Amino acid sequence: MSDKQGLSGLGTKQEFLQKLGLRLREKEALFLNRQAAANACNAGKSSFQAWVEGKRDPSFSAMARFAAATDTSLDELAFGKPESEKETEALVTVPLVSHILNGPVGDWLCQDNIAGGFTFSENWLNEIVGPYTPGKLALTQIFGDSMEPTITRMDYLMIDLSVTKILDNALYAMQWDDALVVKRIARRPEGIVIMSDNKKYADQILNPKKADRLNIIGVVRWIGKGVM
């Protein structure tokens, strides 16, 4: 998005980053120093300073860590609205599913698989994810390089659990043994092709009969970039 383009009524991108920087500076006072605030984001001091000055766009992963460390909602960091002023705004908590699955197959949101959660405004979810079924969204992370450069280590993925039918060339989360993995899946005349975006990994082809055995968790609707 260009700096001249409006950001959902919040002004230009640069104006939004400047306001975000001011809110980060306010919360920074809760830490001993700037280095401690940067550590809370799992980021370097120079990166945090660039965010505070409105010069760079922080990652979702960094802001999620900072929000948790300062007992602040992600909405408040992004929009500057205290919770007391948001009584009429619907909030949705999306569970964070571990990449190691301990619960029964098919029950992805069982307590054994939940590693936490994040709260979002319903308006944001509708804008970013699109129409969704309540209770059918989940966040997860993957730890590998098979989907680079599309998905890198520590990225957050928003999964729509209501979509388990294979659509052509979509990103899917699926259960592979006891692990949650994400692959690109496409239909081809020879069968179902499971692909990694990292070309050093070979494609896998399943004939149509075996495709029914895939334990599809859902389709990826959004990727929040993490901090290495």
Side-chain angles (χ1 to χ4, degrees):
M1 181 178 67
S2 68
D3 289 347
K4 295 182 180 180
Q5 183 180 357
L7 185 64
S8 302
L10 299 176
T12 66
K13 179 178 180 179
Q14 188 56 46
E15 289 170 341
F16 174 78
L17 292 180
Q18 290 289 343
K19 292 177 182 179
L20 175 61
L22 290 175
R23 290 189 285 274
L24 292 177
R25 188 186 298 273
E26 291 175 358
K27 298 296 181 180
E28 182 187 358
L30 298 173
F31 298 90
L32 181 64
N33 50 40
R34 178 154 293 178
Q35 183 62 62
N39 291 344
C41 301
N42 196 28
K45 182 179 177 180
S46 60
S47 293
F48 188 84
Q49 182 165 332
W51 302 337
V52 167
E53 294 174 352
K55 295 179 178 178
R56 287 176 55 190
D57 196 350
S59 69
F60 173 83
S61 173
M63 289 301 91
R65 291 174 181 272
F66 192 75
T70 57
D71 194 25
T72 307
S73 72
L74 285 167
D75 273 3
E76 185 176 343
L77 279 182
F79 307 118
K81 297 179 181 179
E83 296 297 327
S84 59
E85 295 181 8
K86 295 164 60 178
E87 296 176 352
T88 60
E89 184 177 7
L91 299 177
V92 178
T93 298
V94 179
L96 177 65
V97 177
S98 170
H99 69 289
I100 300 298
L101 301 173
N102 297 308
V105 174
D107 190 7
W108 317 120
L109 296 183
C110 72
Q111 197 59 43
D112 289 339
N113 292 337
I114 302 300
F118 293 107
T119 299
F120 303 89
S121 73
E122 189 173 55
N123 289 338
W124 184 90
L125 285 175
N126 284 323
E127 179 179 346
I128 300 300
V129 179
Y132 67 92
T133 302
K136 289 292 186 177
L137 290 178
L139 288 163
T140 193
Q141 292 178 290
I142 59 173
F143 297 82
D145 65 351
S146 69
M147 292 305 293
E148 291 182 353
T150 308
I151 303 170
T152 56
R153 183 177 179 271
M154 300 301 289
D155 285 353
Y156 284 86
L157 310 179
M158 185 83 73
I159 310 299
D160 186 345
L161 306 178
S162 69
V163 180
T164 56
K165 181 180 179 181
I166 297 176
L167 306 174
D168 192 41
N169 201 32
L171 290 176
Y172 281 93
M174 56 186 177
Q175 182 164 354
W176 200 280
D177 294 328
D178 63 345
L180 185 155
V181 299
V182 172
K183 297 290 183 181
R184 191 177 300 279
I185 301 180
R187 292 185 180 275
R188 297 288 185 269
E190 64 271 26
I192 302 299
V193 183
I194 301 175
M195 299 172 285
S196 299
D197 284 5
N198 188 335
K199 296 308 177 185
K200 76 178 184 180
Y201 294 93
D203 295 344
Q204 301 178 58
I205 301 177
L206 301 179
N207 65 51
K209 293 182 180 179
K210 290 185 178 181
D212 293 336
R213 301 177 187 175
L214 284 176
N215 292 319
I216 300 293
I217 296 175
V219 67
V220 177
R221 292 295 191 194
W222 172 82
I223 302 172
K225 304 307 290 183
V227 174
M228 293 296 291

